[in-house]
Amino acid sequence: MKNSIALILCIGLSVAGFAQQLIDKEATKETLALYKNLFALSAKGVMFGHQDDESYGVDWWAQPGRSDVKDITGSYAAVHGWDLGHIELGSPTDLDGVSFENSHKWIEEVYKRGGVNTISWHVDNPVSKKNAWDKTPAVKDILPGGAQHDYFVNQLSKVADFLEACKSNGTPIPIIFRPWHEHNGDWFWWGKGNCTEEEYVQLWKFTVTFLRDTRKLHHLIYASSPDRSRMTSADSESSYLYAYPGDDFVDILGLDDYMDVGESKTSEEQQMKTENLAKVLELVSNISAKKNKIAALTETGQESVVNPTWFTDVLLKAIKSKSTIRVSYAMVWRNANKKHHYESYKGHTSEADFKKFYDDPYTLFEADLKSLYK
Ligand code: BMA
């Protein structure tokens, strides 16, 4: 009897000990606090994210204090997405023209206000020297022993330098780092078909090991993000886990899903897609729960938001449709111009619906967040 109580206690303690650990055992206290708080918060609501939220909007560029989200709601997005594409070239701006000096400044402001920062990297092809969408095989060449390895390490070092400089009064700012995204699609040089599954996993592991162990950056939370469109079905665990680098190398199980949220010709089509979105979010939530990790909709959105009630009728409806869905955040893509935008803005046909989405108690914006770093 005594023994079985001790055993139960032991199991209990090890489960509790295992819960919500980061893959970086030396993570800073702010980083671990963020991770644990994101986990807890995901039971209460979903944080809204927006790529390049304060960098620009549909008809403005780098206006201090401005964001298309804030123009409508009075609050910034809770999660702010940034990209490092072209930092590897030594460029002062990312591939979309955002200055890295500004993004450093804004990342600190987000942190000070209590928001969350996440960074992706649309890195140019290191072999062909063309853009991230150039499919020239490159992964095997940049891995240790490959002809371009030293060149790549130099590029990754520039990413490490940027991340290292994300500080506020000397404290490293916790960052959700989301490299090598949509790897099950074939459109990036690191994607399926352009390298083997094993090469991809090696690239991911090399990246984590380099940043965490070689460069000793302990303020990073690592998010993976397969693309929904290349999964065999919304509930296929094996296709979601294609090239999954392993539980010791991933903190957040993300998903990029544009497929289930795109424009629908009929209400039946929309209903079917929204059901699929719910299904896939449930899948990712369940896989994350089993692993004691966090799930997130790392990228989504409908280009031009052609459906004026997209925010509540598609996104929120799917997220709220099943109690098993537990996603920390849902981030829509950037507001580049009148055609290429995924967020609402003042005067847009979806403005009223976006306000309704904001008013829903289940959605969390930056102004709703409290001490995520403690
Ligand atoms: C894509 C598009 C591109 C952009 C890239 C990186 O989805 O928005 O215009 O350059 O993301 O931000």
Side-chain angles (χ1 to χ4, degrees):
M1 182 64 183
K2 240 193 193 156
N3 275 351
S4 54
I5 291 176
L7 186 70
I8 291 167
L9 208 69
C10 246
I11 294 171
L13 283 175
S14 63
V15 166
F18 177 64
Q20 300 135 51
Q21 290 298 309
L22 283 163
I23 61 166
D24 183 353
K25 298 299 167 243
E26 292 174 54
T28 64
K29 61 178 194 313
E30 292 79 12
T31 309
L32 189 57
L34 174 63
Y35 192 63
K36 292 188 175 203
N37 283 322
L38 290 184
F39 192 90
L41 204 57
S42 66
K44 297 185 187 133
V46 62
M47 296 192 293
F48 181 72
H50 183 211
Q51 181 74 7
D52 288 339
D53 194 40
E54 52 270 88
S55 311
Y56 52 82
V58 163
D59 54 9
W60 58 272
W61 186 264
Q63 292 179 14
R66 190 159 179 202
S67 124
D68 281 342
V69 172
K70 189 164 162 249
D71 276 357
I72 297 179
T73 67
S75 170
Y76 287 104
V79 177
H80 299 247
W82 313 93
D83 199 83
L84 292 184
H86 287 183
I87 202 155
E88 73 279 2
L89 309 175
S91 162
T93 58
D94 78 359
L95 74 166
D96 300 317
V98 178
S99 112
F100 290 122
E101 198 185 321
N102 276 343
S103 39
H104 258 147
K105 199 174 68 197
W106 289 325
I107 285 170
E108 183 180 0
E109 287 173 6
V110 168
Y111 172 71
K112 283 185 164 166
R113 292 193 307 259
V116 178
N117 290 292
T118 179
I119 294 182
S120 52
W121 185 25
H122 284 80
V123 51
D124 276 12
N125 187 310
V127 169
S128 68
K129 314 285 189 274
K130 293 183 182 157
N131 68 23
W133 292 266
D134 181 76
K135 299 178 183 189
T136 306
V139 176
K140 71 172 185 328
D141 293 317
I142 63 174
L143 287 171
Q148 296 301 319
H149 181 63
D150 291 348
Y151 177 79
F152 174 66
V153 168
N154 187 280
Q155 296 199 314
L156 189 55
S157 300
K158 294 194 173 103
V159 169
D161 293 344
F162 181 95
L163 295 169
E164 190 169 37
C166 292
K167 284 195 175 137
S168 180
N169 300 321
T171 304
I173 299 169
I175 303 280
I176 298 172
F177 187 49
R178 187 175 67 92
W180 314 126
H181 62 301
E182 300 171 5
H183 59 276
N184 57 339
D186 64 352
W187 45 89
F188 294 127
W189 56 263
W190 57 85
K192 195 174 183 174
N194 307 323
C195 65
T196 67
E197 185 169 13
E198 180 53 28
E199 283 163 357
Y200 177 83
V201 170
Q202 281 182 36
L203 176 63
W204 183 282
K205 288 185 175 174
F206 179 82
T207 305
V208 171
T209 308
F210 181 81
L211 297 173
R212 182 190 60 192
D213 306 337
T214 308
R215 289 295 303 260
K216 309 214 177 311
L217 302 179
H218 299 302
H219 59 296
L220 304 178
I221 295 176
Y222 294 88
S224 72
S225 49
D227 193 272
R228 160 70 175 107
S229 68
R230 298 303 159 91
M231 288 171 61
T232 50
S233 66
D235 52 6
S236 163
E237 176 160 345
S238 60
S239 71
Y240 172 78
L241 289 175
Y242 168 80
Y244 177 65
D247 293 349
D248 293 339
F249 286 88
V250 175
D251 295 306
I252 295 182
L253 281 92
L255 177 78
D256 287 11
D257 191 349
Y258 292 94
M259 179 177 130
D260 295 323
V261 297
E263 189 177 3
S264 296
K265 296 277 172 262
T266 61
S267 56
E268 290 75 25
E269 187 189 338
Q270 184 180 314
Q271 195 187 334
M272 196 193 72
K273 284 189 188 164
T274 308
E275 279 168 17
N276 276 334
L277 176 61
K279 222 186 253 178
V280 72
L281 291 179
E282 182 178 43
L283 173 80
V284 181
S285 302
N286 287 344
I287 300 173
S288 308
K290 271 191 266 169
K291 297 179 183 297
N292 276 309
K293 294 184 188 284
I294 293 172
L297 185 52
T298 38
E299 271 189 47
T300 190
Q302 182 177 76
E303 192 175 41
S304 303
V305 202
V306 281
N307 174 355
T309 57
W310 183 85
F311 290 97
T312 59
D313 274 348
V314 176
L315 185 60
L316 192 57
K317 190 174 182 183
I319 291 174
K320 284 170 77 172
S321 67
K322 292 171 193 265
S323 59
T324 41
I325 294 176
R326 193 171 161 165
V327 281
S328 171
Y329 61 91
M331 186 176 88
V332 298
W333 203 238
R334 64 198 200 101
N335 271 12
N337 53 52
K338 281 243 154 25
K339 162 133 193 19
H340 191 55
H341 60 268
Y342 297 82
E343 218 307 275
S344 192
Y345 55 87
K346 265 214 145 46
H348 192 277
T349 49
S350 66
E351 182 183 343
D353 184 63
F354 186 61
K355 183 71 181 24
K356 197 170 152 200
F357 175 84
Y358 168 80
D359 287 335
D360 191 289
Y362 200 71
T363 61
L364 303 166
F365 284 66
E366 197 181 79
D368 300 316
L369 304 177
K370 283 176 201 80
S371 352
L372 288 181
Y373 299 97
K374 286 201 189 105

